[in-house]
Coordinates of all heavy atoms in Angstrom, one line a residue:
M1 N 49.2 125.9 123.0 CA 50.3 126.8 122.5 C 51.3 126.1 121.6 O 52.4 126.5 121.5 CB 51.0 127.4 123.7 CG 50.0 128.2 124.6 SD 50.4 129.6 125.1 CE 51.6 130.6 125.2
S2 N 50.8 125.0 121.0 CA 51.7 124.3 120.2 C 51.9 125.0 118.8 O 52.8 124.6 118.1 CB 51.1 122.9 119.9 OG 49.9 123.0 119.3
S3 N 51.2 126.0 118.5 CA 51.3 126.7 117.2 C 52.2 127.9 117.3 O 52.2 128.7 116.5 CB 50.0 127.0 116.7 OG 49.4 128.0 117.5
Q4 N 53.0 128.0 118.4 CA 53.9 129.1 118.5 C 55.0 129.0 117.5 O 55.5 128.0 117.2 CB 54.5 129.2 119.9 CG 53.6 129.6 121.0 CD 54.3 129.7 122.3 OE1 55.4 129.2 122.5 NE2 53.6 130.4 123.3
R5 N 55.4 130.1 117.0 CA 56.5 130.2 116.0 C 57.8 130.6 116.8 O 57.7 131.3 117.8 CB 56.2 131.3 115.0 CG 55.1 130.9 114.1 CD 55.0 131.9 113.0 NE 53.8 131.6 112.2 CZ 53.8 131.8 110.9 NH1 54.8 132.3 110.3 NH2 52.7 131.5 110.2
M6 N 58.9 130.0 116.2 CA 60.2 130.3 116.8 C 60.6 131.7 116.3 O 60.4 132.1 115.2 CB 61.2 129.3 116.4 CG 62.5 129.4 117.1 SD 63.7 128.1 116.6 CE 63.1 126.8 117.5
D7 N 61.2 132.4 117.2 CA 61.7 133.7 116.9 C 62.8 133.6 115.8 O 63.6 132.7 115.9 CB 62.3 134.3 118.2 CG 62.8 135.8 118.0 OD1 62.2 136.5 117.1 OD2 63.7 136.2 118.8
P8 N 62.8 134.4 114.8 CA 63.8 134.3 113.7 C 65.2 134.4 114.2 O 66.1 133.7 113.7 CB 63.4 135.5 112.8 CG 62.1 135.9 113.1 CD 61.8 135.5 114.5
F9 N 65.4 135.2 115.2 CA 66.8 135.3 115.8 C 67.2 133.9 116.4 O 68.3 133.5 116.2 CB 66.8 136.4 116.8 CG 68.2 136.5 117.5 CD1 69.3 137.0 116.9 CD2 68.3 136.0 118.8 CE1 70.5 137.0 117.6 CE2 69.5 136.0 119.5 CZ 70.6 136.6 118.9
V10 N 66.3 133.3 117.1 CA 66.6 132.0 117.8 C 66.8 131.0 116.7 O 67.7 130.1 116.8 CB 65.5 131.6 118.7 CG1 65.7 130.2 119.3 CG2 65.4 132.6 119.9
A11 N 66.0 131.0 115.6 CA 66.2 130.0 114.5 C 67.5 130.2 113.9 O 68.2 129.2 113.5 CB 65.0 130.2 113.5
T12 N 68.0 131.4 113.7 CA 69.3 131.7 113.1 C 70.4 131.2 114.0 O 71.4 130.6 113.5 CB 69.4 133.2 112.8 OG1 68.4 133.6 112.0 CG2 70.8 133.5 112.1
V13 N 70.3 131.4 115.3 CA 71.3 130.9 116.2 C 71.3 129.4 116.2 O 72.4 128.8 116.2 CB 71.0 131.5 117.6 CG1 71.9 130.8 118.7 CG2 71.2 133.0 117.6
H14 N 70.2 128.7 116.2 CA 70.2 127.3 116.1 C 70.8 126.7 114.9 O 71.6 125.8 114.9 CB 68.7 126.8 116.2 CG 68.2 126.8 117.6 ND1 68.3 125.7 118.4 CD2 67.5 127.7 118.3 CE1 67.7 125.9 119.6 NE2 67.2 127.2 119.5
H15 N 70.5 127.4 113.7 CA 71.1 127.0 112.5 C 72.6 127.1 112.5 O 73.4 126.2 112.1 CB 70.5 127.8 111.3 CG 71.1 127.4 110.0 ND1 70.9 126.2 109.4 CD2 71.9 128.1 109.2 CE1 71.5 126.2 108.2 NE2 72.1 127.4 108.1
R16 N 73.1 128.3 112.9 CA 74.5 128.5 113.0 C 75.2 127.6 114.0 O 76.3 127.2 113.7 CB 74.8 130.0 113.3 CG 74.5 130.9 112.2 CD 74.9 132.3 112.5 NE 74.5 133.2 111.4 CZ 74.7 134.5 111.5 NH1 75.2 135.1 112.5 NH2 74.4 135.2 110.4
A17 N 74.6 127.3 115.0 CA 75.1 126.3 116.0 C 75.3 125.0 115.4 O 76.3 124.3 115.6 CB 74.3 126.3 117.3
R18 N 74.3 124.5 114.7 CA 74.4 123.2 114.0 C 75.5 123.2 112.9 O 76.2 122.2 112.8 CB 73.0 122.8 113.4 CG 72.1 122.3 114.4 CD 70.8 121.8 113.7 NE 69.8 122.8 114.0 CZ 68.8 123.1 113.2 NH1 68.6 122.4 112.1 NH2 68.0 124.1 113.5
V19 N 75.6 124.2 112.2 CA 76.6 124.3 111.1 C 78.0 124.3 111.8 O 78.9 123.7 111.4 CB 76.4 125.5 110.2 CG1 77.6 125.8 109.3 CG2 75.2 125.4 109.4
G20 N 78.1 125.1 112.9 CA 79.4 125.2 113.6 C 79.8 123.8 114.2 O 81.0 123.4 114.1
I21 N 78.9 123.2 114.8 CA 79.2 121.8 115.4 C 79.6 120.9 114.3 O 80.5 120.1 114.4 CB 78.0 121.3 116.2 CG1 77.8 122.2 117.5 CG2 78.1 119.9 116.5 CD1 76.5 121.9 118.2
G22 N 78.9 120.9 113.2 CA 79.3 120.0 112.0 C 80.7 120.3 111.5 O 81.4 119.4 111.3
A23 N 81.0 121.6 111.4 CA 82.3 122.0 111.0 C 83.4 121.5 112.0 O 84.5 121.0 111.6 CB 82.4 123.5 110.8
L24 N 83.1 121.7 113.3 CA 84.1 121.2 114.3 C 84.3 119.7 114.2 O 85.4 119.2 114.4 CB 83.6 121.6 115.7 CG 83.8 123.1 116.0 CD1 83.2 123.4 117.3 CD2 85.3 123.5 116.0
L25 N 83.2 119.0 114.0 CA 83.3 117.5 113.9 C 84.1 117.1 112.7 O 85.0 116.2 112.7 CB 81.9 116.9 113.8 CG 81.1 116.8 115.1 CD1 79.7 116.3 114.8 CD2 81.8 116.0 116.1
L26 N 83.9 117.8 111.5 CA 84.7 117.5 110.3 C 86.2 117.8 110.6 O 87.1 117.0 110.2 CB 84.2 118.3 109.1 CG 82.9 117.8 108.5 CD1 82.4 118.7 107.4 CD2 83.1 116.4 108.0
L27 N 86.5 118.9 111.2 CA 87.9 119.3 111.5 C 88.5 118.3 112.4 O 89.7 117.9 112.3 CB 88.0 120.7 112.0 CG 87.7 121.8 111.0 CD1 87.6 123.2 111.7 CD2 88.8 121.8 110.0
G28 N 87.7 117.8 113.4 CA 88.2 116.9 114.4 C 88.6 115.5 113.7 O 89.6 114.9 114.0
C29 N 87.7 115.1 112.8 CA 88.0 113.9 112.0 C 89.2 114.0 111.1 O 90.0 113.1 111.0 CB 86.8 113.5 111.2 SG 85.4 112.9 112.2
A30 N 89.3 115.2 110.5 CA 90.5 115.4 109.6 C 91.8 115.5 110.4 O 92.8 115.0 109.9 CB 90.3 116.7 108.8
A31 N 91.7 115.9 111.6 CA 92.9 116.0 112.4 C 93.4 114.7 113.0 O 94.6 114.5 113.3 CB 92.7 117.0 113.6
C32 N 92.5 113.7 113.0 CA 92.8 112.4 113.5 C 93.4 111.5 112.5 O 93.8 110.3 112.8 CB 91.6 111.8 114.2 SG 91.1 112.6 115.7
T33 N 93.4 111.8 111.2 CA 94.0 110.9 110.2 C 95.5 110.9 110.3 O 96.1 112.0 110.5 CB 93.5 111.4 108.8 OG1 93.9 112.7 108.6 CG2 92.0 111.3 108.6
P34 N 96.1 109.8 110.1 CA 97.6 109.7 110.1 C 98.2 110.5 108.9 O 97.6 110.6 107.9 CB 97.9 108.2 110.1 CG 96.7 107.6 109.4 CD 95.5 108.5 109.8
P35 N 99.4 111.0 109.1 CA 100.0 111.7 108.0 C 100.4 110.6 106.9 O 100.6 109.5 107.2 CB 101.3 112.3 108.6 CG 101.6 111.4 109.8 CD 100.2 110.9 110.3
P36 N 100.5 111.1 105.7 CA 100.8 110.1 104.6 C 102.3 109.7 104.8 O 103.1 110.4 105.3 CB 100.7 111.0 103.3 CG 100.8 112.4 103.8 CD 100.3 112.4 105.2
D37 N 102.5 108.4 104.3 CA 103.9 107.9 104.4 C 104.9 108.7 103.6 O 104.5 109.1 102.4 CB 103.9 106.5 103.8 CG 103.1 105.5 104.7 OD1 102.9 105.9 105.9 OD2 102.6 104.5 104.2
S38 N 106.0 109.0 104.1 CA 107.0 109.8 103.4 C 107.7 108.8 102.4 O 107.9 107.7 102.7 CB 108.0 110.3 104.4 OG 108.7 109.3 105.1
P39 N 108.0 109.3 101.2 CA 108.6 108.5 100.2 C 110.0 108.1 100.6 O 110.7 108.9 101.3 CB 108.6 109.3 99.0 CG 108.5 110.7 99.5 CD 107.8 110.7 100.8
T40 N 110.4 106.9 100.3 CA 111.7 106.4 100.7 C 112.7 107.0 99.6 O 112.3 107.2 98.5 CB 111.8 104.9 100.7 OG1 111.4 104.4 99.4 CG2 110.9 104.3 101.7
E41 N 113.9 107.2 100.0 CA 114.9 107.7 99.1 C 115.3 106.8 98.1 O 115.6 107.1 96.9 CB 116.1 108.2 99.9 CG 115.8 109.4 100.8 CD 117.0 109.9 101.6 OE1 118.2 109.5 101.2 OE2 116.8 110.6 102.6
K42 N 115.5 105.5 98.4 CA 115.9 104.5 97.5 C 114.7 103.5 97.2 O 114.1 103.0 98.1 CB 117.0 103.7 98.1 CG 117.6 102.6 97.2 CD 118.7 101.8 97.9 CE 119.1 100.7 97.0 NZ 120.1 99.8 97.7
P43 N 114.3 103.4 95.9 CA 113.2 102.5 95.6 C 113.6 101.0 95.9 O 114.8 100.7 95.9 CB 113.0 102.7 94.1 CG 114.2 103.3 93.6 CD 114.9 104.0 94.7
A44 N 112.6 100.2 96.2 CA 112.9 98.8 96.5 C 113.3 98.1 95.3 O 112.9 98.4 94.2 CB 111.6 98.2 97.1
E45 N 114.2 97.1 95.5 CA 114.7 96.3 94.4 C 113.5 95.4 93.9 O 112.8 94.8 94.7 CB 115.8 95.4 94.9 CG 117.1 96.2 95.2 CD 117.7 96.8 94.0 OE1 117.7 96.2 93.0 OE2 118.2 97.9 94.2
P46 N 113.4 95.2 92.6 CA 112.3 94.3 92.1 C 112.6 92.9 92.5 O 113.8 92.4 92.4 CB 112.4 94.6 90.6 CG 113.7 95.1 90.3 CD 114.2 95.8 91.6
Q47 N 111.6 92.2 92.8 CA 111.7 90.8 93.2 C 111.6 89.8 92.1 O 111.9 88.6 92.2 CB 110.6 90.4 94.3 CG 110.7 91.3 95.5 CD 112.0 91.1 96.3 OE1 112.5 90.0 96.4 NE2 112.6 92.2 96.8
A48 N 111.3 90.3 90.9 CA 111.1 89.4 89.8 C 112.4 88.8 89.3 O 112.5 87.8 88.5 CB 110.4 90.1 88.6
T49 N 113.5 89.4 89.6 CA 114.8 88.9 89.2 C 115.1 87.6 89.7 O 115.8 86.8 89.1 CB 115.9 89.9 89.6 OG1 115.9 90.1 91.0 CG2 115.7 91.3 88.9
Q50 N 114.6 87.2 90.9 CA 114.9 85.9 91.5 C 114.3 84.8 90.6 O 114.9 83.8 90.3 CB 114.3 85.8 92.9 CG 115.0 86.8 93.9 CD 114.2 86.8 95.2 OE1 113.1 86.3 95.3 NE2 114.9 87.4 96.2
V51 N 113.1 85.1 90.1 CA 112.4 84.1 89.2 C 113.2 84.0 87.9 O 113.4 82.9 87.4 CB 111.0 84.5 89.0 CG1 110.3 83.6 88.0 CG2 110.2 84.4 90.3
R52 N 113.6 85.2 87.4 CA 114.3 85.2 86.1 C 115.6 84.5 86.2 O 116.0 83.7 85.3 CB 114.5 86.6 85.6 CG 115.1 86.7 84.3 CD 115.5 88.1 83.9 NE 116.6 88.6 84.8 CZ 116.7 89.8 85.3 NH1 115.9 90.7 84.9 NH2 117.7 90.1 86.1
D53 N 116.3 84.6 87.3 CA 117.6 84.0 87.5 C 117.5 82.5 87.8 O 118.4 81.7 87.4 CB 118.4 84.7 88.7 CG 118.7 86.1 88.4 OD1 118.7 86.5 87.2 OD2 119.0 86.9 89.3
A54 N 116.4 82.1 88.4 CA 116.2 80.6 88.7 C 115.7 79.8 87.5 O 115.8 78.6 87.5 CB 115.3 80.5 89.9
T55 N 115.1 80.5 86.5 CA 114.5 79.8 85.4 C 115.5 79.1 84.5 O 115.3 77.9 84.1 CB 113.6 80.7 84.5 OG1 112.7 81.3 85.4 CG2 113.0 80.0 83.4
P56 N 116.7 79.6 84.1 CA 117.5 78.9 83.1 C 118.1 77.6 83.6 O 118.4 76.7 82.8 CB 118.7 79.9 82.9 CG 118.1 81.3 83.3 CD 117.1 81.0 84.3
A57 N 118.4 77.4 84.9 CA 119.0 76.2 85.4 C 118.2 74.9 85.0 O 118.8 74.0 84.4 CB 119.3 76.3 86.8
P58 N 116.9 74.9 85.3 CA 116.1 73.7 85.0 C 116.1 73.5 83.4 O 116.1 72.4 83.0 CB 114.8 73.9 85.6 CG 114.9 75.0 86.6 CD 116.1 75.8 86.2
L59 N 116.0 74.6 82.7 CA 115.9 74.5 81.2 C 117.2 73.9 80.7 O 117.2 73.1 79.8 CB 115.6 75.8 80.6 CG 114.2 76.4 80.9 CD1 114.1 77.8 80.3 CD2 113.2 75.4 80.3
D60 N 118.4 74.3 81.3 CA 119.6 73.8 80.8 C 119.8 72.3 81.1 O 120.2 71.5 80.3 CB 120.8 74.6 81.5 CG 120.9 76.0 80.9 OD1 120.3 76.3 79.8 OD2 121.5 76.8 81.6
N61 N 119.3 71.9 82.3 CA 119.3 70.5 82.7 C 118.4 69.7 81.7 O 118.8 68.6 81.3 CB 118.8 70.3 84.1 CG 119.8 70.9 85.1 OD1 120.9 71.1 84.8 ND2 119.3 71.1 86.4
A62 N 117.2 70.2 81.4 CA 116.4 69.5 80.4 C 117.0 69.4 79.1 O 116.9 68.3 78.4 CB 115.0 70.2 80.4
R63 N 117.7 70.4 78.6 CA 118.3 70.4 77.3 C 119.5 69.3 77.3 O 119.6 68.6 76.4 CB 118.9 71.7 76.9 CG 117.8 72.7 76.5 CD 118.4 74.0 76.0 NE 117.4 75.0 75.9 CZ 117.2 76.1 76.7 NH1 118.0 76.3 77.7 NH2 116.2 76.9 76.4
A64 N 120.2 69.2 78.4 CA 121.3 68.3 78.5 C 120.7 66.8 78.6 O 121.3 65.9 77.9 CB 122.1 68.5 79.8
A65 N 119.6 66.7 79.3 CA 119.0 65.3 79.3 C 118.5 64.9 78.0 O 118.6 63.8 77.5 CB 117.9 65.3 80.4
Q66 N 117.9 65.9 77.2 CA 117.4 65.6 75.9 C 118.5 65.2 75.0 O 118.4 64.3 74.1 CB 116.6 66.8 75.3 CG 116.0 66.5 74.0 CD 114.9 65.5 74.1 OE1 114.1 65.5 74.9 NE2 114.9 64.5 73.1
A67 N 119.6 65.9 75.1 CA 120.8 65.6 74.2 C 121.3 64.2 74.5 O 121.7 63.5 73.6 CB 121.9 66.7 74.4
T68 N 121.4 63.9 75.8 CA 121.8 62.5 76.2 C 120.9 61.5 75.6 O 121.3 60.4 75.1 CB 121.9 62.4 77.7 OG1 122.8 63.4 78.2 CG2 122.4 61.0 78.1
A69 N 119.6 61.7 75.7 CA 118.6 60.7 75.2 C 118.7 60.6 73.7 O 118.6 59.5 73.1 CB 117.2 61.1 75.6
D70 N 118.9 61.7 73.0 CA 119.0 61.7 71.5 C 120.3 60.9 71.1 O 120.3 60.1 70.2 CB 119.1 63.1 71.0 CG 117.7 63.8 71.1 OD1 116.7 63.1 71.3 OD2 117.7 65.1 70.9
A71 N 121.4 61.1 71.9 CA 122.6 60.4 71.6 C 122.5 58.9 71.8 O 122.9 58.1 71.0 CB 123.8 61.0 72.4
D72 N 121.8 58.5 72.9 CA 121.6 57.1 73.2 C 120.7 56.5 72.1 O 120.9 55.3 71.7 CB 120.9 56.9 74.6 CG 121.9 57.2 75.7 OD1 123.1 57.2 75.4 OD2 121.4 57.4 76.8
A73 N 119.7 57.2 71.7 CA 118.8 56.7 70.6 C 119.6 56.5 69.3 O 119.4 55.5 68.6 CB 117.6 57.6 70.4
Q74 N 120.4 57.4 69.0 CA 121.2 57.3 67.8 C 122.2 56.1 67.8 O 122.3 55.4 66.9 CB 122.0 58.6 67.5 CG 122.9 58.6 66.3 CD 122.0 58.4 65.0 OE1 120.9 58.9 64.9 NE2 122.6 57.7 64.0
R75 N 122.8 55.9 69.0 CA 123.7 54.7 69.2 C 122.9 53.4 69.0 O 123.4 52.5 68.5 CB 124.4 54.8 70.5 CG 125.7 55.6 70.4 CD 126.4 55.6 71.7 NE 125.9 56.8 72.4 CZ 125.9 57.0 73.7 NH1 126.4 56.1 74.5 NH2 125.4 58.1 74.2
Q76 N 121.7 53.4 69.6 CA 120.9 52.2 69.5 C 120.5 51.9 68.1 O 120.6 50.8 67.6 CB 119.6 52.4 70.4 CG 118.8 51.1 70.4 CD 117.6 51.2 71.3 OE1 117.2 52.4 71.7 NE2 117.0 50.1 71.7
R77 N 120.1 52.9 67.3 CA 119.8 52.8 65.9 C 121.0 52.3 65.1 O 120.9 51.4 64.3 CB 119.2 54.1 65.3 CG 117.8 54.4 65.6 CD 117.2 55.5 64.8 NE 117.9 56.8 65.0 CZ 117.5 57.7 66.0 NH1 116.5 57.4 66.8 NH2 118.2 58.8 66.1
Q78 N 122.1 52.9 65.4 CA 123.4 52.4 64.7 C 123.7 51.0 65.1 O 124.1 50.2 64.2 CB 124.5 53.4 65.1 CG 125.8 53.1 64.3 CD 125.6 53.4 62.8 OE1 124.9 54.4 62.5 NE2 126.1 52.6 62.0
A79 N 123.5 50.6 66.3 CA 123.8 49.2 66.7 C 122.9 48.2 66.0 O 123.3 47.1 65.6 CB 123.7 49.1 68.2
I80 N 121.6 48.6 65.8 CA 120.6 47.7 65.1 C 121.0 47.6 63.7 O 121.0 46.5 63.1 CB 119.2 48.3 65.3 CG1 118.7 48.2 66.8 CG2 118.2 47.6 64.4 CD1 117.5 48.9 67.1
E81 N 121.4 48.7 63.1 CA 121.8 48.7 61.7 C 123.1 47.8 61.5 O 123.2 47.1 60.5 CB 122.0 50.1 61.1 CG 120.7 50.8 60.8 CD 121.0 52.2 60.3 OE1 122.0 52.4 59.7 OE2 120.0 53.0 60.4
D82 N 124.0 48.0 62.4 CA 125.3 47.2 62.3 C 125.0 45.7 62.5 O 125.8 44.9 62.0 CB 126.3 47.7 63.4 CG 126.8 49.1 63.0 OD1 126.6 49.5 61.9 OD2 127.4 49.7 63.9
A83 N 124.0 45.3 63.3 CA 123.7 43.9 63.5 C 123.0 43.3 62.4 O 122.7 42.1 62.4 CB 122.9 43.8 64.8
G84 N 122.6 44.1 61.4 CA 122.0 43.6 60.2 C 120.5 43.8 60.2 O 119.8 43.1 59.4
G85 N 120.0 44.6 61.0 CA 118.5 44.7 61.1 C 117.9 45.9 60.6 O 117.0 46.2 60.1

């Protein structure tokens, strides 16, 4: 009796049951997701300003050191020329 056919009504019930169970599973998964983060009223301050504010100090120090080295070199050249060389 392995060649018995399923009654069309029973086949329809099985199909609808599978579709219903699938829909319930999808709804259950969707209900378990966390709600999206609510937007904050005040945007966060950009952090790049710290780098921008910290950059000029070393550059100013380097420029001052270069000016000192240039002045010392000029004095040394002048001293050599004054000595007759």
